[in-house]
Amino acid sequence: MSTTFTWSIGTLERETSDGYVFTAHYRVDAADDVYTAGAYGSVGFERPETLIPYSDLTEELIIGWVQAAIGGEEKVADVEAALQAQLDEQRQPTKANGVPWGE
């Protein structure tokens, strides 16, 4: 089974005076044919020298900013590997809870 990872932006925080986006709230979802896992977070941005008009921002652009801000390709791979581990644990659990009587 192959896993699909989907990065998305839930919302942005910005200054209304000039559209400067200072925080992005993001989500990463992992799914295979049966199981799902997800993670979410927020990341802040420094004010750039040149602002892109708020109306020109796209989700793809902001996802790129988020991925760069969290540490680039290496950290993206770490996040996706952690989600893959959650899917693997769902598929073949290594831990369980309960009591031995009455089962």
Side-chain angles (χ1 to χ4, degrees):
M1 289 181 207
S2 67
T3 301
T4 301
F5 298 97
T6 305
W7 290 71
S8 60
I9 303 299
T11 193
L12 301 173
E13 295 179 41
R14 65 185 169 98
E15 292 187 10
T16 57
S17 62
D18 60 5
Y20 160 54
V21 172
F22 55 87
T23 302
H25 300 272
Y26 66 93
R27 181 165 181 82
V28 187
D29 291 302
D32 61 22
D33 295 336
V34 178
Y35 301 102
T36 61
Y40 61 91
S42 298
V43 65
F45 305 115
E46 296 291 325
R47 178 182 283 276
E49 290 183 27
T50 304
L51 290 176
I52 297 172
Y54 183 75
S55 61
D56 291 345
L57 297 177
T58 64
E59 187 172 32
E60 292 77 22
L61 178 63
I62 303 299
I63 289 169
W65 292 357
V66 165
Q67 291 176 341
I70 66 170
E73 290 181 23
E74 184 175 326
K75 184 60 177 173
V76 168
D78 289 347
V79 169
E80 292 179 354
L83 292 174
Q84 183 64 57
Q86 289 179 30
L87 294 179
D88 295 344
E89 180 66 22
Q90 290 176 51
R91 189 174 299 107
Q92 295 182 325
T94 60
K95 299 169 186 65
N97 59 26
V99 295
W101 56 91
E103 290 186 6

